[in-house]
Amino acid sequence: MKFRTLAAVAALATVTFAAQAHGPTRQKVSESIEINAPADKVWAIVGNFQDGSWIPVVEKTEGKGGNEPKATRTLTLKGGATVEEELSKYDAEKKSLMYRIEKVDVKVLPVNDYSSWVEVEGDGTKSKLTWRGAFYRGYMNNDPPPELNDEAAKKAVSGLYKSGLENVKAKAEKGS
Amino acid sequence: MARLIGLVALAGSPALAQEALVTAQLGNAVEVVDLATKKILQSIPVSGAPAGIALSPDRKTAYVTRPEGHGIAVIDLEARRVTGSLDLPGGPLGIGVNPKSGEVYVADWYGARVFVLNPSADGLKREGEIATGQSPSGIAVTPDGATLLVANRESDSVSIIDVANRRETRRVPVGQHPFGLTLSADGRFAYTANVVSNDVSAIDVAAGRETGRVATGQRPYVIALAAGRGFVTDQYSNTVTVFDPVTLRKLAAIDVGDHPEGIAVTRDGKTVVVANWGDNALSLIDTSSLTVTGTIETGDGPRSFGDFLR
């Protein structure tokens, strides 16, 4: 899982998305998990934008604006790298939120122009948690190096999502 | 009598007797979609992440850009199969066809040039290139075939190009990072969707200047003009912003699917078709009621960046 292993070797260089044209082909990844716990309980874990602790690699969440659109947060990862994010949409009734990464080192997560949705469906006993994202690869020009190509981006995001979903499942099912 | 019945039937359902050509970029296919029955008639495999599309003046041939395959695929729309291809350097993405000469223009996303291609009996031939601003993307040609307009994403401008001399004659500053570019039917006005400043710029083509802007949703991408209105896909807001192209006032925002990208209007002007990249579907918008009247499932990652309604 690149997000975890590369966090430790995060370089100083960062990429600001607006400054350069992205690659021509946006990618998507979607992961879901069935959880034997009420949807409300699962949403209580993932539905607070100011608390990213359900993502295993996240050590600390600092932010402002609560769960209102345009709220921001900075995730500090184990190893010290940071990810700056902004909340775009939040719907407590639908148990759905969307946010964007404003700034991340491609060595931490090899993506550009990343946005993602976290959604919970279900009832009082069972639920389905979905985390899906849209992004461009880490290298924005032709002929990307292997660690910054489309496959690397998808693999890193998919690994991040799976570990997050499994962690939420473990937390939510404990004691229920 | 048979003729009369035929006419009645035709009058009863003329609205969507048309095909949409969907570039499913992640599915590596171009799909021929019948808008009336909402069915995919044919899925044509096209590798290289097909994205941009333009049609020949007789509407029988589609030219599709393959930015990851670095080239163009030529599709015979009657036979519904790929009949030719042409390799191109850089990142071929935006594409347009000259309605008079049939010449094909392809923007190099990674460069600052437009390739000029000519269809011949032996297939598509590369005949030179025209210098533009950085990251050229959306392309349009005036109805008289004399003027080519190119949105320069990284230069925040539009190149106005004299087709006969293959030279840029004016460069018009617009909003930040223009991507899609659409001309009015008479070719007098152009509109760009500015993805970073979240607005649309209106350009007086003859005067060579921007005349105003209208605010949109987040990440406006491509514009369609229909029924005296402008329709812009807002990639990040999952909406289509409707505006008045004359007064540049915002009229409405219509919820569509996830990451709406390509947008175009049917021949009769009654329906706007939107390609939703995120949820693999087309949204159909009624241009008078400004409501979504239907959706059609497509392959993975539909973009249809260009002239995609046959």
Side-chain angles (χ1 to χ4, degrees), chain B residues 73-140:
Chain B
V74 181
I75 295 172
D76 178 335
L77 294 172
E78 311 272 292
R80 293 179 186 152
R81 63 185 180 86
V82 174
T83 53
S85 65
L86 179 72
D87 290 342
L88 289 172
L93 182 58
I95 185 166
V97 170
N98 189 307
K100 292 292 183 207
S101 66
E103 209 165 55
V104 180
Y105 310 105
V106 180
D108 177 4
W109 174 251
Y110 293 126
R113 58 183 171 178
V114 165
F115 301 111
V116 180
L117 317 178
N118 254 303
S120 73
D122 306 328
L124 212 48
K125 299 272 186 237
R126 189 171 155 197
E127 277 204 344
E129 56 190 61
I130 304 167
T132 63
Q134 287 294 322
S135 279
S137 33
I139 286 182

Side-chain angles (χ1 to χ4, degrees), chain A residues 129-168:
Chain A
L129 172 61
T130 299
W131 194 0
R132 61 191 167 90
F135 48 87
Y136 292 89
R137 67 185 176 219
Y139 187 76
M140 294 188 274
N141 214 318
N142 262 345
D143 307 318
E147 70 275 17
L148 295 176
N149 66 14
D150 289 334
E151 289 310 309
K154 283 192 283 187
K155 196 177 160 199
V157 172
S158 172
L160 171 70
Y161 288 4
K162 282 179 185 162
S163 73
L165 298 182
E166 279 159 20
N167 190 44
V168 174

Side-chain angles (χ1 to χ4, degrees), chain A residues 18-28 70 86 88-89 98 100 113 115 117 132-137 140-143 150, chain B residues 25-26 49 67-68 70 90-91 93 109-110 135 153-154 177 218-219 235-238 258-259 261 277-280 300-301 303:
Chain A
Q20 277 176 284
H22 50 66
T25 313
R26 195 194 293 109
Q27 304 296 322
K28 55 172 103 162
K70 301 214 164 169
E86 182 178 295
S88 299
K89 294 190 182 193
M98 183 187 47
R100 299 181 190 294
D113 218 352
S115 62
W117 291 86
R132 61 191 167 90
F135 48 87
Y136 292 89
R137 67 185 176 219
M140 294 188 274
N141 214 318
N142 262 345
D143 307 318
D150 289 334
Chain B
Q25 193 171 23
L26 300 177
E68 304 287 354
H70 309 307
L93 182 58
W109 174 251
Y110 293 126
S135 279
R153 189 187 191 272
E154 296 301 301
H177 291 199
Q218 275 196 301
R219 283 254 160 173
Q235 236 183 40
Y236 283 1
S237 306
N238 297 345
D258 186 25
H259 278 87
E261 299 210 339
W277 176 88
D279 47 17
N280 302 342
D300 199 9
R303 286 194 73 181

Side-chain angles (χ1 to χ4, degrees), chain A residues 43 47 87 89-98 117-120 132:
Chain A
W43 181 243
L87 186 62
K89 294 190 182 193
Y90 191 91
D91 190 333
E93 203 157 309
K94 286 187 184 163
K95 298 185 179 65
S96 152
L97 66 85
M98 183 187 47
W117 291 86
V118 177
E119 294 162 323
V120 184
R132 61 191 167 90

Side-chain angles (χ1 to χ4, degrees), chain A residues 6-27:
Chain A
L6 288 172
V9 293
L12 292 170
T14 53
V15 173
T16 308
F17 299 137
Q20 277 176 284
H22 50 66
T25 313
R26 195 194 293 109
Q27 304 296 322

